[in-house]
């Protein structure tokens, strides 16, 4: 009791925003057995010892309270110094099993709990806090436990979140699933929103371009001009676009903010592939009333100041990945195409085992605190829909170099996630004319463990973009887009996936 109280006190101090409830001490001697009758639990006491009966009743009361309140709980933390009642492994709550027994006890209670959790397929991870180890070791173990407990905050924030996708079709993740826009909806499209709600608790809201254009029409011209002037003042440079182009982006930004407020949403994506340019798989331009008269990059930049996650092309899997990473690290994720680095001429020796993630819009808050510089420029696409006097806008950000980064992608539908780590390199010095080729923002990451990364090595014949049909068949469902984060997220992602029932995959897993 004293040890668990001490640990909880430390956790409450260090895990801001997390409320610890319950804190019950249960003595369990293994003499009670559980009988399952339908969906109700019943306990049978195996002897008549009065002291045992008192503990049995307390255990039963705690379990009943837990069952009644679990809809309001985000997880369960269990400290084991002795044996476990298996009912604690059947709550369906994400669980941390903590070993706080002395080393001399051979961890019998902890091992018993883990065995029960594995038997009943509990979604769990483990941690420990030794009582007969050096203080420095205890400090490291406590740090580890704090990191794991903070994952419950990610779970809570996700299941209270909403995301918006602005699109005029009913397909989901159409580009990354290799599915053209003009085909009928399929099981993936129909079932995806329900799975997103079931697995993460995230509500998906579809908004049509008509509603967005109505909001754009309401925008105050003076307010849009003020925002555009602020962007110009902040930028390190403005090239190949006029102020009227930037004002157009500001009008779209204010309309997007109005939709976020209207639906009380936390993240947003817009299907630029069909609302701005030619639809994928379609030879005809969209009808004029379906078009949106500006691109998304300046909005991604501005929304990132508030750590509101956003991306273009209605990449829902990527947007969900951005939300998870933001709640985990406090920084913003960068969604982009996975480019073939052989499309860039090297300035010297070609770097090996690199991944290049690229899009024309990027956040300026990749870290929890502080912003990185950006310039405003022309978008890679010069659509005739904008007219000869108008230029679609984009940004180019200045990525911090030499830092650890992670490439992450959640496949919500299949309950999978991939994560690879590496070091951010200076693409401008590695490749000729790097800023002006293909997408306007490109982050180059040299992968730590290329043998474990299904997206490597590079393929000179793969074309401009590393299209998913160039990958082996087991990995095509990941699509051609990934999300880059600063920081090493591999361990935290693996622990989170264990708590929510997802699977971390790599090239060797065959999935």
């Amino acid at each position: 009791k004293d040890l668990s109280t001490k640990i909880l006190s430390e956790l409450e101090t260090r895990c801001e925003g997390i409320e610890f409830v319950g804190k019950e001490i249960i003595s369990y001697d293994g003499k009670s057995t559980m009988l399952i009758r339908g969906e109700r639990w019943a306990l049978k006491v195996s002897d008549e010892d009065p002291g045992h009966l008192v503990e049995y009743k307390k255990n039963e009361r705690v379990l009943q309270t837990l069952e009644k309140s679990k809809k309001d709980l985000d997880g369960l933390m269990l400290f084991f110094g002795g044996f476990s009642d298996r009912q604690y492994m059947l709550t369906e709550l994400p669980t941390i099993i903590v070993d706080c027994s002395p080393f001399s006890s051979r961890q019998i209670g902890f091992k018993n709990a883990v065995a029960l959790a594995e038997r009943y397929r509990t979604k769990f991870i483990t941690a420990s806090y030794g009582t007969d180890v050096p203080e420095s070791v205890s400090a490291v173990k406590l740090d580890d436990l704090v990191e794991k407990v903070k994952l419950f905050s990610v779970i809570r924030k996700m299941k209270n979140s909403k995301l918006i996708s602005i699109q005029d079709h009913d397909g989901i993740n159409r580009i990354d699933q290799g599915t053209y826009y003009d085909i009928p909806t399929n099981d993936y499209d129909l079932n995806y929103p329900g799975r997103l709600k079931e697995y993460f608790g995230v509500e998906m809201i579809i908004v049509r371009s008509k509603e967005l254009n109505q909001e754009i029409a309401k925008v105050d011209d003076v307010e849009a001009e003020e925002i555009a002037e602020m962007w110009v003042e902040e930028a390190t440079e403005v090239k190949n676009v006029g102020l009227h182009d930037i004002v157009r982006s500001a009008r779209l930004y204010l309309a997007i903010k109005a939709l976020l407020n209207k639906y009380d949403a936390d993240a947003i994506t817009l299907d630029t592939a069909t609302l701005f340019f030619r639809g994928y798989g379609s030879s005809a331009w969209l009808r004029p009333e379906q078009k949106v008269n500006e691109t998304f990059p300046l909005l991604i930049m501005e929304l990132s100041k508030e750590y509101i996650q956003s991306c273009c092309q209605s990449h829902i899997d990527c947007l969900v990945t951005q939300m998870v990473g933001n709640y985990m690290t406090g920084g913003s994720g960068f969604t982009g195409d996975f480019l073939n680095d052989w499309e860039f001429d090297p300035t010297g020796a070609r770097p090996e085992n690199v991944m290049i993630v690229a899009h024309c819009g990027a956040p300026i808050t990749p870290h929890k605190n502080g912003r990185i510089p950006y310039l405003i420029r022309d978008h890679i696409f010069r659509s005739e829909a904008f007219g000869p006097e108008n230029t679609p806008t984009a940004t180019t950000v200045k990525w911090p170099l030499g830092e650890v980064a992670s490439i992450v992608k959640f496949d919500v539908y299949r309950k999978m996630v991939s994560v690879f780590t590496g070091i951010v390199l200076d693409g401008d010095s590695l490749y000729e004319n790097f800023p002006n080729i293909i997408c306007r923002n490109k982050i180059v990451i040299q992968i730590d463990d290329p043998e474990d990364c299904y997206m490597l090595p590079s393929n000179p014949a793969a074309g401009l973009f590393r299209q998913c049909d160039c990958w082996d068949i087991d990995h095509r469902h990941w699509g051609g887009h990934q999300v880059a984060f600063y920081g090493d997220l591999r361990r935290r992602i693996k622990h989170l996936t264990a708590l929510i029932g997802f699977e971390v995959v790599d090239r060797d897993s065959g999935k």
Side-chain angles (χ1 to χ4, degrees):
K1 179 177 180 178
D2 291 342
L3 181 57
S4 61
T5 299
K6 175 185 176 182
I7 297 173
L8 282 172
S9 177
E10 289 280 355
L11 292 176
E12 287 177 323
T13 300
R14 297 177 58 179
C15 298
E16 183 179 355
I18 297 178
E19 181 183 2
F20 296 84
V21 296
K23 304 180 183 180
E24 297 282 359
I25 304 297
I26 303 298
S27 176
Y28 179 74
D29 58 10
K31 294 182 180 180
S32 299
T33 59
M34 183 184 71
L35 307 177
I36 300 177
R37 297 171 180 170
E39 295 183 354
R40 301 188 64 182
W41 292 346
L43 289 173
K44 178 180 179 181
V45 181
S46 59
D47 64 31
E48 300 300 327
D49 177 67
H52 171 74
L53 186 60
V54 170
E55 290 300 329
Y56 152 68
K57 289 182 177 180
K58 182 179 182 181
N59 188 57
E60 183 179 30
R61 174 179 57 78
V62 170
L63 286 165
Q64 289 173 347
T65 301
L66 184 59
E67 178 67 17
K68 291 176 182 178
S69 61
K70 72 178 184 180
K71 66 179 182 298
D72 299 318
L73 301 175
D74 302 295
L76 185 63
M77 184 162 56
L78 303 173
F79 298 91
F80 286 102
F83 287 98
S84 167
D85 186 332
R86 58 183 174 179
Q87 292 179 89
Y88 292 99
M89 305 304 169
L90 295 168
T91 66
E92 299 180 351
L93 289 169
T95 300
I96 299 179
I97 300 175
V98 184
D99 175 31
C100 57
S101 56
F103 181 77
S104 57
S105 70
R106 299 182 181 179
Q107 303 172 301
I108 294 175
F110 171 73
K111 292 177 180 178
N112 168 256
V114 170
L116 288 174
E118 291 174 343
R119 181 187 306 172
Y120 296 112
R121 298 183 179 179
T122 306
K123 292 178 287 189
F124 79 100
I125 56 177
T126 62
S128 62
Y129 187 90
T131 58
D132 51 2
V133 295
E135 185 176 339
S136 59
V137 176
S138 294
V140 171
K141 291 182 178 296
L142 184 59
D143 289 342
D144 176 69
L145 181 56
V146 167
E147 179 181 280
K148 291 172 179 176
V149 169
K150 286 182 177 180
L151 295 176
F152 289 127
S153 179
V154 178
I155 293 171
R156 161 63 63 132
K157 290 176 180 177
M158 288 297 291
K159 71 181 182 183
N160 286 313
S161 293
K162 300 176 185 176
L163 66 82
I164 294 174
S165 179
I166 303 174
Q167 56 185 68
D168 284 348
H169 57 85
D170 294 320
I172 306 295
N173 289 316
R174 279 288 166 100
I175 296 177
D176 276 357
Q177 292 306 302
T179 306
Y180 290 133
Y181 286 98
D182 50 4
I183 70 167
T185 54
N186 52 38
D187 287 344
Y188 180 95
D189 302 322
L190 297 174
N191 293 326
Y192 186 98
R195 295 193 183 192
L196 177 60
K197 184 68 174 178
E198 177 185 354
Y199 302 156
F200 284 104
V202 175
E203 180 182 351
M204 180 177 172
I205 301 165
I206 301 294
V207 172
R208 302 305 189 191
S209 64
K210 180 179 179 180
E211 185 175 354
L212 173 59
N213 282 322
Q214 289 172 344
E215 293 295 340
I216 293 175
K218 299 176 186 177
V219 169
D220 180 76
D221 290 339
V222 174
E223 188 176 4
E225 290 170 1
E226 290 175 349
I227 289 175
E229 290 169 357
M230 175 190 69
W231 289 343
V232 170
E233 185 177 346
E234 287 182 349
T236 58
E237 184 182 1
V238 177
K239 54 190 296 186
N240 304 329
V241 297
L243 181 61
H244 68 288
D245 297 314
I246 302 171
V247 171
R248 201 169 54 244
S249 285
R251 292 178 62 84
L252 179 58
Y253 164 73
L254 290 169
I256 290 293
K257 281 288 287 184
L259 288 174
L260 286 166
N261 292 332
K262 176 180 178 179
Y263 291 102
D264 190 27
D266 307 276
I268 193 163
T269 182
L270 190 150
D271 194 4
T272 51
T274 59
L275 297 180
F276 297 148
F277 313 112
R278 291 182 185 273
Y280 280 66
S282 174
S283 60
W285 286 101
L286 297 171
R287 295 190 301 274
E289 63 268 28
Q290 288 181 295
K291 293 176 183 175
V292 177
N293 197 30
E294 188 44 60
T295 48
F296 215 55
L298 279 167
L299 283 75
I300 293 173
M301 179 277 295
E302 183 64 22
L303 290 171
S304 74
K305 295 177 182 177
E306 301 179 61
Y307 295 93
I308 296 173
Q309 301 305 293
S310 61
C311 65
C312 61
Q313 297 181 336
S314 284
H315 295 305
I316 308 299
D317 273 349
C318 290
L319 188 61
V320 170
T321 303
Q322 286 182 245
M323 294 168 70
V324 171
N326 172 242
Y327 296 152
M328 186 175 287
T329 69
S332 296
F334 169 48
T335 288
D337 291 273
F338 173 35
L339 297 187
N340 182 359
D341 60 286
W342 281 78
E343 285 298 324
F344 302 95
D345 294 327
T347 56
R350 181 176 294 279
E352 296 182 354
N353 302 319
V354 298
M355 290 177 63
I356 300 177
V357 179
H359 254 195
C360 282
I364 60 170
T365 54
H367 298 106
K368 184 176 182 180
N369 299 304
R371 302 174 184 177
I372 58 177
Y374 71 93
L375 64 84
I376 301 173
R377 61 168 304 170
D378 55 320
H379 199 284
I380 181 177
F381 292 116
R382 286 294 302 268
S383 171
E384 62 189 60
F386 288 81
E389 303 301 321
N390 299 315
T391 302
T393 57
T395 61
T396 297
V397 304
K398 187 73 171 178
W399 299 112
L401 304 177
E403 296 189 29
V404 176
S406 300
I407 305 293
V408 188
K409 179 75 172 286
F410 276 85
D411 182 337
V412 174
Y413 192 83
R414 298 170 181 86
K415 299 185 74 173
M416 296 179 179
V417 61
S418 64
V419 54
F420 308 106
T421 59
I423 301 295
V424 179
L425 304 182
D426 182 5
D428 292 346
S429 66
L430 293 172
Y431 302 104
E432 300 283 356
N433 197 29
F434 193 60
N436 300 313
I437 301 176
I438 318 179
C439 301
R440 302 315 194 193
N441 293 285
K442 293 178 283 290
I443 187 169
V444 181
I445 299 176
Q446 191 163 47
I447 297 300
D448 294 327
D449 188 2
E451 294 303 317
D452 194 39
C453 182
Y454 61 79
M455 288 174 281
L456 295 175
S458 302
N459 180 1
L464 289 177
F465 295 90
R466 189 72 57 79
Q467 302 292 355
C468 56
D469 57 3
C470 296
W471 298 353
D472 64 275
I473 193 168
D474 289 330
H475 293 102
R476 290 179 187 174
H477 64 90
W478 293 106
H481 293 82
Q482 301 288 323
V483 185
F485 296 94
Y486 273 78
D488 185 346
L489 305 190
R490 190 173 179 87
R491 185 173 64 178
R492 280 178 283 178
I493 289 290
K494 285 190 172 184
H495 292 153
L496 179 68
T497 55
L499 290 173
I500 64 176
F502 274 53
E503 179 184 5
V504 177
V505 300
D506 52 41
R507 185 173 63 180
D508 295 331
S509 69
K511 295 182 181 179

